[in-house]
Amino acid sequence: MSAPFALPAAAVEAVARGRVRRGRRRRNVMLLLVAILVAAFATTLMVGRSFVPPGDVLRVLFGEDVPGASFTVGRLRLPRASLSVVAGLSFGMAGVAFQTMLRNPLASPDIIGISWGSSAAAVFAIVVLGLDGTPVSIMAIVAGLAVALAVYGLSFRGGVVGARLILIGIGISFMLESFIAYVLEQAPQWNYQEALRWLAGSVNGAGWNQIVPVAIALGAFGAALLSRARHLEILRLGDDAAAALGVRVAGTRIIVIVAAVGLIAFATSASGPIAFVAFLSGPIAARIIGRNGSLLIPAALVGAVLVLVADFCGQFLLGMRYPVGVVTGALGAPYLLYLIVRSNRAGGSL
Amino acid sequence: MTGTHTLAVDRLVAGYGDRTVIDGLDLTVAAGRITAIVGANASGKSTLLRAMSRLLKPRAGRVVLDGKEVHRMAPKVLARTLGLLPQSPIAPEGITVADLIGRGRHPHQRMLSRWSRDDDAAVAAAMEATRTTELADRTVDELSGGQRQRVWIAMALAQETDLLLLDEPTTFLDVSHQIEVLDLLTDLNLQRGTTIVMVLHDLNMAARYADVLVAIADGKLHLAGEPAAVLTAESVQAVFGLEARIISDPLSGKPLVLPIGRHRMATDGA
């Protein structure tokens, strides 16, 4: 390559040092997030209506039969906490992928209707068609993609403007919410808990047959998203600047949309659209880790912690038992207001 | 090493939707020189630049770099030879200067590759050249317009391309920062031999800093050549529909355009 401008070695060292310092801070914060996630997971296994000591929890995890603990921990708390973690990771990562790609914190899949599309398809498949398992997830993913396409198509007018896309998405969300309410109303075995799952999200009664598909989808779609992490970061500079740096803009978009919708759809078909987790995780992660580098993993970790902690609060700290989505909804709504107020002043991005 | 790449536009037709903006344009970029593209608003300057850098697919005709059609080249391969600084890139909130400049290294990195010594050296050299070393740890949002433009140019420099296209790099800058940016690009051209093609609004800046002026009107090439040959009263009239007198800039010896308006004229301009 061309000869650089006169360049002392010390200058190169300084650049390298700054990069290593920022990288170290990022790694430390991520490790801290992982530690918080493990602690929250462990706490939800031990603490509940009854306290199970750590030793007993570990013995249950290793497959020993512990009287009392095997049922509470093994059958109730472990599946519930596991679904919380895989759904939270999925929502957090998919949410920040959309927010980054569309350069707008309001553009998360739960605001622009994608989660509602998946939820509507899942509830239709379960209540009306009587399906369960993978067919439900497949319908959820198809509906999620269809909503993504519809929102994108409707907001396309010689280019997509973020504000139009978000408003159209919010409109579609309302239509889908009414559809869900209608289907549940028609259901013969009308059930308040079920209704809340599909309208607000819940990890009640989680079973391994629900958790495993979400975990597999998380592995596959999560890996696809992570492979695009750098491109996604460069897309933040604008489409032209990204293309000039050698990013295939359209191809990257398609991979990100399909993978993020996949994450949302599988998680939603197990837990319902846990309110605002996709929307909140990215901005929280950005606040604690800074904005140098990809937020996919930090936001996924934040999402998992959010679901675990919110579910714990909903079960034990609020007097009555609330599904997790009610608690995250109560957290997310004020933040949504804050963003709207702020975006009127500054335009607002992550 | 440099000045050896050939970039040519061959009967290019390009546009958006059903609107044709560039309509049969031929141009050969002078290797190792500074070329400024001038023309009226909506005459197709930015469109030409976008088509030349693979961002916009031609309807007809070709853009050829070293014998290869740029629209058939792999994006990263092209991005190692030809860089483009768009008119208004987005500065992501909260990003530090060093990190933004580092993004210029993307075409040199593989998917899982680690950051190399070459990457650090390229970033350091880009910061040195643009005098942004001191700003490394600041976030881009807190910079002034002039500083920010230097950072964007640094990102393009870190890309280490032999050809650099810039879409109005001086817009929104006050006059001292305009001169600073154009001097910096001239340094880059003289010291590294980088071929520079830029869209400029200000005819006098273009005349002073460019080796070659390219005047575009209605999506076609009007004139290309040395500033003195291109900037004449007739061509300014034809390209901009503006009556003007051209004198010699006493500082540079290049042409200087004095527009003739309807008011405030001490003489009739003739």
Side-chain angles (χ1 to χ4, degrees), chain A residues 56-123:
Chain A
D56 286 357
V57 170
L58 278 178
R59 281 163 59 206
V60 174
L61 291 184
F62 285 115
E64 274 180 52
D65 195 34
V66 185
S70 276
F71 181 76
T72 337
V73 174
R75 289 286 181 77
L76 297 179
R77 291 182 191 170
L78 183 61
R80 186 175 189 123
S82 302
L83 181 58
S84 299
V85 170
V86 291
L89 290 169
S90 301
F91 286 130
M93 190 183 279
V96 84
F98 266 97
Q99 290 168 323
T100 307
M101 186 179 73
L102 295 172
R103 302 181 200 106
N104 194 322
L106 287 170
S108 89
D110 40 2
I111 306 274
I112 61 173
I114 293 165
S115 306
W116 292 109
S118 294
S119 183
V123 78

Side-chain angles (χ1 to χ4, degrees), chain A residues 92-182:
Chain A
M93 190 183 279
V96 84
F98 266 97
Q99 290 168 323
T100 307
M101 186 179 73
L102 295 172
R103 302 181 200 106
N104 194 322
L106 287 170
S108 89
D110 40 2
I111 306 274
I112 61 173
I114 293 165
S115 306
W116 292 109
S118 294
S119 183
V123 78
F124 183 77
I126 293 168
V127 171
V128 178
L129 306 180
L131 301 171
D132 61 2
T134 314
V136 175
S137 301
I138 290 171
M139 284 188 65
I141 197 169
V142 170
L145 278 174
V147 170
L149 269 179
V151 170
Y152 196 82
L154 287 173
S155 51
F156 194 88
R157 204 177 294 151
V160 165
V161 175
R164 192 160 55 215
L165 183 140
I166 289 158
L167 289 175
I168 286 171
I170 291 173
I172 289 186
S173 303
F174 277 115
M175 284 163 48
L176 292 165
E177 260 182 276
S178 330
F179 175 79
I180 294 169
Y182 174 78

Side-chain angles (χ1 to χ4, degrees), chain A residues 12-318:
Chain A
V12 184
E13 273 320 307
V15 169
R17 267 199 313 278
R19 176 173 52 72
V20 169
R21 189 181 62 236
R22 285 188 302 275
R24 193 178 298 137
R25 189 188 121 71
R26 201 177 135 76
R27 205 170 49 243
N28 289 345
V29 177
M30 283 221 257
L31 285 176
L32 181 70
L33 278 173
V34 171
I36 293 172
L37 178 58
V38 170
F41 189 78
T43 307
T44 55
L45 293 186
M46 291 186 295
V47 183
R49 287 288 128 104
S50 62
F51 179 80
V52 178
D56 286 357
V57 170
L58 278 178
R59 281 163 59 206
V60 174
L61 291 184
F62 285 115
E64 274 180 52
D65 195 34
V66 185
S70 276
F71 181 76
T72 337
V73 174
R75 289 286 181 77
L76 297 179
R77 291 182 191 170
L78 183 61
R80 186 175 189 123
S82 302
L83 181 58
S84 299
V85 170
V86 291
L89 290 169
S90 301
F91 286 130
M93 190 183 279
V96 84
F98 266 97
Q99 290 168 323
T100 307
M101 186 179 73
L102 295 172
R103 302 181 200 106
N104 194 322
L106 287 170
S108 89
D110 40 2
I111 306 274
I112 61 173
I114 293 165
S115 306
W116 292 109
S118 294
S119 183
V123 78
F124 183 77
I126 293 168
V127 171
V128 178
L129 306 180
L131 301 171
D132 61 2
T134 314
V136 175
S137 301
I138 290 171
M139 284 188 65
I141 197 169
V142 170
L145 278 174
V147 170
L149 269 179
V151 170
Y152 196 82
L154 287 173
S155 51
F156 194 88
R157 204 177 294 151
V160 165
V161 175
R164 192 160 55 215
L165 183 140
I166 289 158
L167 289 175
I168 286 171
I170 291 173
I172 289 186
S173 303
F174 277 115
M175 284 163 48
L176 292 165
E177 260 182 276
S178 330
F179 175 79
I180 294 169
Y182 174 78
V183 169
L184 288 167
E185 198 77 48
Q186 300 298 307
Q189 65 285 45
W190 165 259
N191 171 331
Y192 184 66
Q193 283 296 331
E194 268 308 280
L196 275 179
R197 174 191 304 275
W198 300 114
L199 288 169
S202 164
V203 288
N204 257 340
W208 293 108
N209 57 339
Q210 291 171 298
I211 297 164
V212 172
V214 183
I216 293 171
L218 176 62
F221 293 122
L225 270 186
L226 288 175
S227 79
R228 298 292 108 180
R230 263 190 204 170
H231 300 76
L232 208 42
E233 276 303 289
I234 290 178
L235 270 181
R236 294 176 69 213
L237 308 177
D239 292 356
D240 278 3
L245 287 170
V247 172
R248 291 179 199 268
V249 174
T252 303
R253 279 231 174 86
I254 290 170
I255 293 174
V256 169
I257 290 174
V258 170
V261 170
L263 287 176
I264 291 288
F266 272 86
T268 302
S269 59
S271 68
I274 303 179
F276 290 140
V277 173
F279 168 62
L280 282 171
S281 302
I284 294 175
R287 197 54 58 85
I288 55 187
I289 206 163
R291 226 26 210 101
N292 288 312
S294 170
L295 284 180
L296 290 173
I297 293 177
L301 294 170
V302 168
V305 171
L306 263 179
V307 176
L308 272 177
V309 172
D311 187 44
F312 188 79
C313 295
Q315 282 192 91
F316 304 115
L317 300 186
L318 300 176

Side-chain angles (χ1 to χ4, degrees), chain B residues 147-209:
Chain B
Q147 289 172 326
R148 201 180 281 206
Q149 191 61 2
R150 293 213 308 267
V151 169
W152 284 115
I153 292 176
M155 185 187 87
L157 295 193
Q159 200 175 337
E160 292 190 317
T161 58
D162 289 336
L163 288 117
L164 181 55
L165 315 187
L166 304 101
D167 196 352
E168 298 196 14
T170 57
T171 311
F172 308 123
L173 298 182
D174 63 38
V175 65
S176 73
H177 288 115
Q178 290 181 28
I179 295 291
E180 183 178 71
V181 163
L182 292 169
D183 276 341
L184 165 64
L185 294 172
T186 308
D187 286 341
L188 179 70
N189 170 257
L190 295 176
Q191 296 175 27
R192 289 198 198 179
T194 305
T195 304
I196 290 177
V197 181
M198 56 186 165
V199 170
L200 285 182
H201 251 305
D202 188 321
L203 286 178
N204 293 327
M205 293 288 181
R208 180 178 285 191
Y209 280 93

